[in-house]
Amino acid sequence: MSELLSAGEGGRIERTVLPGGIRIITETIPGLQSETVGVWVGSGSRHESDVAAGSTHFLEHMLFKGTATRSPRDIARGLERTGGDSNAVTSKEYTCYYARCLVSDLDAVGDLLWDMVLRSTLDEAEFGRERGVIVEELAMAADDPTDQLFEDFEELAFAGQPLGRPVGATREQIRVLEHGVLREHYEDAYAGPGLVFAAAGGASHAEVVDQVAAHIAGTGAAQALVTGAERGSTAGAASTRGAGSGGTRSGSTASPAVFTPGLHVRERATEQQGIILGTAGLHEGHEDRFVHLVLSNLLGGGMASRLFQRVREEHGLAYSVHTVLSQYSDAGLFGVYAGCAPGSSDQVLELVGEELIGIADRAPGEDEVDDVVSQLAGGTVLGLESTAVRMNRIARHELTGMPLLSAEALIDRVRSVTPEEVRAHAEGLLAQKWALAAVGPRGDLRMPSLG
C-alpha cells in the first residue's frame, strides 16, 4: 500500500513499505529524464561498539568489492557506463549508496545497488587488501590540518561519547578490526527495517516500487530481510521511522549526546593557525532551527556576513572565516572557523567574540535580517532544482521522522524570523559554555572572553 505524503507543482512524494520492512520513498518530478537514487542504511559510526570502531566506513568500501554475481570491476563498469554520478557516504548516523542516472537506466542501476547492499560477499582477501587502502585514506586526512581540526573539535565537544569519534575511526583501530566483526555488523545493520530506498526524478512511484521489489526477489534475499525484521531489538530499533539514532548497532547504544566544553590545541608546523570556537547547537528537528540558521548566516554565512566583513575586509586577518553548523538527531554544534597567521589568532578570536556579543546586545536591523532571509530563501529554491538534494531531503525525512516541509513552508518559516529572535538566540548561545580547538604552530592559545 502506497502512502501519498505530499503533492504539488514541484513534485509528488509517496511512500511504500515492503514485506521485510524496506521503505521506499520517492519524489516524482514530471518531465525529467534523470533520476537520483540511494540505498540508505540507518546506521552510522556513532552506533558502533569500541571493538567495531570503523566498521561502518569499512563496509562502505567493501560493498564495492564484489557480490555473488558481480566482480569489483563489474560493479565499477556498471555504475560508470550510465554516464551519471555514483558514490557512497558514511556519516555518524547513516550510510548511503547512491547514483544519478537516466530514467531509462534506473532499472539496471537499482539492480546493481541492491545487489551490492544485499549480496556482498565481504571476501576476506578483499578485506585484507582494503584495510591498507583505508589506512592510507585516514593518513591522507590526518595530513590535512583542516580535516584534523574539525575532527579534533567534534572529539572535544563530545568527549568520551560515540558522536565524538571520527567516522573512519583511527588507523590503529582499523589495523586490528576483525573480519568476523565486520560481517556481524553487516548482518545486523543491513536488514529490512534499517533500509530505505529513496529516489527523486522523472520515474513514477509505482515504477520504482515494482523495480525494487523485483530486485530484492532477484537477490534471493527476501527471507533474510524478514529474518532481519524479526531482529528488531538490534537492526530495527534505531531504524523505524522517527526513532532517530537511539537504537543499537554492533553492540553499542547511542545515548543522547552531551556537549563538553574545553580547550584542545594541536601543535603542528603549518603556515596557518586553524581555529574553531564553538558551543552546543541545535539538533536537526529543533523548533528554533530557523532562527539558528539566520543567526549563523548573518554572523558568518557569506561575503556580506559580519565576520567576513570585519575579520577579512576590515582587518585582512584571514582568507577564510565562517560559521559551521553540525546537526544530529539529538544534538548539534555551533561554531566559527578561521584560518589565519599564527600571530593573528588572538586578535581573530577577539573579533569573533566582539561580533557575537554585538548581536546579543543589540538586535540586527530589519534590512540586515531581510538580506539573510532572501539569501536563504533563494538558496532553498535553487537547491531543490537538484534531484540529489531532493533525494537526500526525503531520505533524511524517512530516517529521522522529521516533518517534510514544502519549499514554500521552509521559506515561510525562514521569513518569519525576527531581529529580536536572532538577538535572543545569540544571547542564549553566549550564556553557554564554549570549546576551542586549534591546529598550528601556536601551543599557547587560550579561550577568548565572551562575557
Side-chain angles (χ1 to χ4, degrees):
M1 178 68 71
S2 294
E3 174 187 3
L4 178 64
L5 300 182
S6 72
E9 293 182 3
R12 179 183 178 90
I13 301 174
E14 297 171 84
R15 177 179 185 267
T16 294
V17 181
L18 297 179
I22 286 179
R23 291 163 283 165
I24 303 172
I25 185 166
T26 69
E27 182 165 10
T28 303
I29 309 165
L32 284 190
Q33 299 300 311
S34 66
E35 193 86 12
T36 300
V37 296
V39 180
W40 294 70
V41 186
S43 175
S45 61
R46 76 177 298 189
H47 303 108
E48 299 165 346
S49 64
D50 290 340
V51 72
S55 56
T56 304
H57 176 243
F58 210 129
L59 275 174
E60 177 206 313
H61 282 242
M62 287 300 296
L63 265 60
F64 288 88
K65 296 302 175 182
T67 72
T69 58
R70 289 180 170 95
S71 69
R73 180 173 174 80
D74 291 336
I75 291 173
R77 290 180 63 195
L79 289 171
E80 291 182 357
R81 69 178 297 277
T82 65
D85 303 318
S86 61
N87 211 328
V89 61
T90 306
S91 80
K92 297 192 176 185
E93 296 191 315
Y94 59 80
T95 309
C96 175
Y97 305 85
Y98 65 91
R100 180 172 179 264
C101 61
L102 297 176
V103 172
S104 57
D105 287 325
L106 177 59
D107 191 32
V109 170
D111 181 62
L112 176 51
L113 288 176
W114 280 115
D115 193 31
M116 290 169 55
V117 168
L118 298 179
R119 299 182 74 191
S120 178
T121 57
L122 300 184
D123 180 78
E124 194 162 0
E126 289 283 3
F127 172 79
R129 282 190 290 271
E130 201 63 22
R131 188 198 303 274
V133 173
I134 293 173
V135 167
E136 290 305 315
E137 179 185 2
L138 297 177
M140 181 177 67
D143 281 345
D144 186 324
T146 303
D147 282 359
Q148 185 66 65
L149 173 62
F150 277 83
E151 283 198 356
D152 285 351
F153 178 67
E154 294 227 340
E155 187 174 359
L156 169 65
F158 296 122
Q161 303 170 73
L163 201 53
R165 297 187 306 218
V167 170
T170 66
R171 282 168 282 178
E172 292 73 21
Q173 287 170 318
I174 293 301
R175 288 189 180 107
V176 300
L177 181 65
E178 296 179 0
H179 181 257
V181 171
L182 187 82
R183 182 170 288 280
E184 181 182 351
H185 184 135
Y186 176 68
E187 293 171 353
D188 176 25
Y190 285 63
L195 299 175
V196 170
F197 187 78
S204 70
H205 183 73
E207 181 181 1
V208 173
V209 170
D210 288 346
Q211 289 180 1
V212 172
H215 299 327
I216 293 171
T219 64
Q223 182 57 46
L225 290 171
V226 173
T227 303
E230 293 168 352
R231 294 198 309 267
S233 62
T234 55
S239 306
T240 49
R241 193 172 183 217
S245 62
T248 59
R249 285 289 184 274
S250 300
S252 173
T253 300
S255 302
V258 178
F259 177 80
T260 54
L263 175 69
H264 184 286
V265 177
R266 184 184 295 270
E267 289 190 62
R268 198 158 167 178
T270 56
E271 293 294 322
Q272 282 197 318
Q273 189 81 32
I275 52 179
I276 298 179
L277 177 67
T279 187
L282 304 182
H283 66 75
E284 202 168 25
H286 197 286
E287 61 182 8
D288 292 333
R289 64 189 183 277
F290 297 98
V291 179
H292 197 61
L293 188 59
V294 170
L295 170 62
S296 174
N297 277 263
L298 185 149
L299 182 65
M303 292 188 297
S305 68
R306 291 193 177 189
L307 286 176
F308 190 96
Q309 289 296 314
R310 185 87 185 279
V311 175
R312 175 169 162 164
E313 299 298 276
E314 289 183 25
H315 293 274
L317 295 176
Y319 174 75
S320 179
V321 55
H322 55 81
T323 48
V324 291
L325 297 180
S326 296
Q327 291 182 298
Y328 302 104
S329 59
D330 59 353
L333 295 173
F334 175 93
V336 174
Y337 163 82
C340 59
S344 301
S345 303
D346 296 316
Q347 187 180 359
V348 169
L349 286 169
E350 181 182 343
L351 291 172
V352 170
E354 287 178 3
E355 290 303 323
L356 279 164
I357 293 168
I359 297 174
D361 286 347
R362 184 175 61 259
E366 294 278 359
D367 288 349
E368 188 177 13
V369 172
D370 186 62
D371 285 345
V372 172
V373 166
S374 295
Q375 173 194 5
L376 292 170
T380 298
V381 173
L382 293 172
L384 289 175
E385 291 189 355
S386 162
T387 56
V389 170
R390 287 177 179 257
M391 186 275 288
N392 275 270
R393 189 173 79 101
I394 59 177
R396 291 177 68 84
H397 155 77
E398 186 61 36
L399 286 166
T400 64
M402 285 177 54
L404 187 59
L405 302 178
S406 66
E408 294 77 12
L410 287 170
I411 291 170
D412 287 344
R413 292 287 296 274
V414 171
R415 290 197 180 283
S416 70
V417 174
T418 67
E420 176 55 28
E421 287 177 322
V422 174
R423 186 209 64 76
H425 192 60
E427 183 179 44
L429 290 178
L430 274 175
Q432 300 178 161
K433 293 183 178 180
W434 286 65
L436 173 65
V439 173
R442 294 273 305 271
D444 60 344
L445 287 181
R446 294 292 179 264
M447 288 286 295
S449 173
L450 297 175

